Amino acid sequence: MSALLDAPWYARSVVDGRTSERVAFEEDVLALADDVWRVARRLGRDVTEAEDLVQETYARAIRAWHSYESGTNLRAWLLRILHNLAIDQARKRQRSPEPEPLEEGDYYLYNRLEASGADAIDRLIDQLSQGPLLAALGALPVIFKEVVVLVDLGDFSYQEAADVLEVPIGTVMSRLHRGRRALKKALADGSVPA
Amino acid sequence: MSTHIASCAEAETRLQSYVDRVLTPAEVAQIEEHLLLCPPCARCYQLERDIRAQLKRVCDEPCPESLKVRLRNLCAECDCADAD
């Protein structure tokens, strides 16, 4: 019990009236707060929206904790709840379906940079600073953004991302390709002279 | 039968799988051979890699402590479905 006495005041109260399994589950989901936050921060439009998303995710997770199958991927289970919330939110915000970014051919950026001279990519790499990168990511439609966030920020495998998003692995790959391409296009449009 | 990558277009379609490390060793050898011989494609690969690394860096923001406290309280207060 010394661990409990050493714990901060807010941690000490959690055992009241709850089974040890439930308390263990709470500790496991709380240990994933940074992972959930990083995804929510990119899916929400600002800090407040991200905080609301995370709180609602945890509220739902705790309500549904019995449906979590012990030993399966808890991070994916938790992020699936967040994904469903974010998709609902995006639908409410915008009644029409998500636009598909970039109708140009696959080699848009390649051709564009090639036409701009050999050092165009070097210039682009030099300019990969926080502001434009976050703006470009933020501007992606949510279905592309969340794949990029899961794979590129969360280091999820294609299969894990497919589990979170409940889509086939091929859909993950094509959304990832389109999402990254849209990101590069936004960055190139901002830094490569037309 | 040639196993070489015939064009930059072909290299570009494989670049994503290469960046994500999901190619077979033989496919890795093919794209690496192409990247070695083709500076424009090598630059494209560098761009892919750098965007990813930079994204990770700028988004590496831990959950605020105040939110963690709220989450802990929220977990403690929610007594739903714990009875069964």
Side-chain angles (χ1 to χ4, degrees):
Chain A
M1 285 289 110
S2 67
L4 272 177
L5 291 175
D6 292 341
W9 63 269
Y10 52 81
R12 257 181 264 146
S13 63
V14 297
V15 284
D16 299 339
R18 283 187 308 298
T19 61
S20 56
E21 289 87 351
R22 158 77 183 263
V23 173
F25 175 82
E26 289 174 13
E27 291 305 322
D28 288 347
V29 288
L30 287 169
L32 293 166
D34 287 335
D35 286 341
V36 177
W37 171 252
R38 276 186 207 105
V39 176
R41 186 68 185 89
R42 304 280 71 92
L43 296 183
R45 281 176 302 187
D46 52 33
V47 173
T48 310
E49 212 171 89
E51 291 194 346
D52 290 347
L53 275 172
V54 173
Q55 291 195 86
E56 186 54 28
T57 297
Y58 274 75
R60 288 193 187 190
I62 289 295
R63 283 201 294 273
W65 82 278
H66 278 295
S67 70
Y68 169 69
E69 216 174 294
S70 179
T72 58
N73 188 335
L74 182 61
R75 186 169 77 138
W77 184 83
L78 207 51
L79 289 176
R80 196 178 309 140
I81 298 175
L82 173 62
H83 153 73
N84 288 328
L85 283 168
I87 290 289
D88 281 352
Q89 202 173 59
R91 281 203 191 111
K92 270 183 215 142
R93 202 180 291 153
Q94 183 187 353
R95 300 305 309 180
S96 56
E98 289 280 2
E100 301 269 306
L102 268 183
E103 294 310 320
E104 292 99 346
D106 267 359
Y107 311 111
Y108 170 85
L109 184 80
Y110 195 86
N111 296 336
R112 174 88 185 272
L113 290 169
E114 203 169 54
S116 307
D119 62 351
I121 296 184
D122 293 337
R123 267 208 313 277
L124 189 50
I125 289 172
D126 288 343
Q127 290 169 8
L128 284 181
S129 56
Q130 185 165 357
L133 203 53
L134 289 182
L137 183 63
L140 288 184
V142 68
I143 63 163
F144 299 100
K145 181 162 46 185
E146 59 184 1
V147 181
V148 173
V149 168
L150 290 176
V151 177
D152 286 354
L153 300 183
D155 282 326
F156 274 58
S157 67
Y158 294 165
Q159 185 59 59
E160 272 186 299
D163 290 344
V164 171
L165 305 173
E166 297 179 292
V167 296
I169 208 165
T171 306
V172 167
M173 290 169 72
S174 71
R175 283 184 189 173
L176 186 60
H177 188 56
R178 297 173 72 101
R180 284 173 174 167
R181 208 193 323 137
L183 202 58
K184 282 180 287 183
K185 180 186 180 294
L187 290 167
D189 286 347
S191 73
V192 179
Chain B
M1 184 180 69
S2 167
T3 56
H4 294 288
I5 288 179
S7 64
C8 294
E10 195 184 332
E12 207 245 4
T13 59
R14 289 212 199 157
L15 214 49
Q16 165 161 307
S17 307
Y18 180 62
V19 170
D20 292 332
R21 300 173 192 275
V22 294
L23 292 177
T24 64
E27 289 168 332
V28 168
Q30 286 163 25
I31 187 136
E32 284 182 349
E33 182 192 27
H34 181 84
L35 292 178
L36 214 56
L37 299 172
C38 178
C41 281
R43 280 205 176 84
C44 277
Y45 167 62
Q46 200 194 338
L47 177 66
E48 295 280 350
R49 229 187 31 191
D50 287 2
I51 287 180
R52 196 170 161 164
Q54 185 69 353
L55 257 185
K56 256 206 177 86
R57 200 155 40 232
V58 302
C59 297
D60 188 21
E61 180 187 335
C63 182
E65 284 305 317
S66 58
L67 179 59
K68 283 187 181 171
V69 173
R70 268 181 281 152
L71 294 178
R72 192 170 278 282
N73 291 337
L74 184 151
C75 285
E77 284 157 17
C78 182
D79 60 356
C80 27
D82 202 26
D84 43 312

